[in-house]
Amino acid sequence: MAVANFLRQPQEKKLCMCRLKIKPKAVGVGAALAGFYEWEKFDEGSTEHLEKFIQLGMAGALILAALIGCMGAFLGSIKVMVVHLVVLVALIASHIWKLSHYNESKQLDATEVFVMDLWMKELVHHGAMQHLQQEYECCGDKGFADYTSLNMKVPRSCFHTKDGIHAFHPYAEGCMAAVKRAYLQIYRYEKWVHCGLIGYEVVGIILGITLCCQLTSKTRRYTY
């Protein structure tokens, strides 16, 4: 009955409702791109790199919620809209869980362990630090003196290179400080993204409940 009532509405009104549900899809695509950027930014093997798979899944769930909401709005189905609302509530719960585990000290400790592990590998197999040093323009653990003090040749990745020509002096900053700063900055941005998505999903729930109430009201009038 609800479907019959809804389908009698003007096409413009149905498209308008559907557009309201497509907006979270665009936000979900943006969240997925942001998660992919962070996934690429954090080096493979780090704790943060593994956690990005979870965030990509959350972004995918937001896109799915938008598609379900659009379908529910277009068909005028209360059951489909309820599924849409359940997915949004689950997403909000996942954001709150993520924020409840927000800990900058733990983040810094994990980054320190990750960089130190790479440095230990560098001492055994030269080249383990190459990607990190090029990406963050740093050298060694605490500085290029880490190489010279051990009578090791400072690698080319410690020098700024442009058009095949590298600088005369290596990077002064060590990778421990550079990577900690970069990872912490991304970690803080991530917190505000979660807060923003919670607000957006709350708006989506309000719109979904409003639409459900309208569909219920139309069903009752049709019955009477």
Side-chain angles (χ1 to χ4, degrees):
M1 294 180 183
V3 175
N5 282 327
F6 191 80
L7 292 177
R8 292 194 187 100
Q9 295 179 10
Q11 187 68 16
E12 292 78 7
K13 186 173 182 180
K14 290 190 290 184
L15 290 175
C16 182
M17 291 181 178
C18 193
R19 289 192 191 103
L20 290 175
K21 297 302 178 184
I22 288 177
K23 288 182 179 179
K25 181 181 177 181
V27 175
V29 172
L33 291 175
F36 183 77
Y37 167 78
E38 291 185 4
W39 179 69
E40 286 288 323
K41 194 69 175 176
F42 287 121
D43 292 89
E44 186 174 357
S46 65
T47 303
E48 299 82 5
H49 185 272
L50 298 176
E51 288 183 355
K52 297 312 155 206
F53 286 104
I54 299 176
Q55 289 188 212
L56 287 172
M58 292 168 65
L62 182 56
I63 295 174
L64 178 63
L67 291 173
I68 295 173
C70 184
M71 184 184 300
F74 192 80
L75 296 177
S77 173
I78 296 178
K79 292 181 180 179
V80 176
M81 289 304 304
V82 168
V83 174
H84 168 69
L85 294 175
V86 169
V87 175
L88 287 180
V89 170
L91 280 171
I92 290 176
S94 65
H95 290 308
I96 293 175
W97 176 84
K98 183 68 177 177
L99 290 173
S100 67
H101 289 76
Y102 183 84
N103 190 322
E104 289 190 0
S105 297
K106 185 178 179 180
Q107 164 72 20
L108 291 173
D109 290 341
T111 304
E112 184 173 348
V113 170
F114 170 67
V115 176
M116 183 58 67
D117 180 62
L118 279 182
W119 175 244
M120 291 295 103
K121 291 178 180 178
E122 174 75 8
L123 297 179
V124 180
H125 302 289
H126 299 320
M129 293 279 290
Q130 180 177 348
H131 174 72
L132 205 68
Q133 290 171 157
Q134 291 176 336
E135 179 71 22
Y136 299 98
E137 297 187 345
C138 55
C139 187
D141 179 23
K142 297 181 180 178
F144 68 90
D146 291 334
Y147 286 102
T148 57
S149 63
L150 296 173
N151 296 321
M152 296 172 61
K153 182 181 178 180
V154 179
R156 291 178 62 87
S157 57
C158 279
F159 296 85
H160 178 72
T161 304
K162 185 176 182 180
D163 298 328
I165 302 174
H166 65 78
F168 185 75
H169 295 288
Y171 298 122
E173 187 176 29
C175 289
M176 183 65 75
V179 176
K180 276 186 174 181
R181 182 177 63 253
Y183 280 20
L184 186 59
Q185 184 180 35
I186 295 175
Y187 191 61
R188 287 171 176 170
Y189 286 156
E190 181 185 307
K191 179 183 70 172
W192 292 111
V193 168
H194 281 291
C195 292
L197 287 175
I198 288 175
Y200 203 90
E201 286 155 6
V202 168
V203 172
I205 289 175
I206 294 173
L207 291 175
I209 292 175
T210 301
L211 181 56
C212 286
C213 291
Q214 290 177 352
L215 292 173
T216 303
S217 176
K218 290 179 183 297
T219 303
R220 290 174 179 173
R221 287 202 301 267
Y222 184 84
T223 303
Y224 290 132

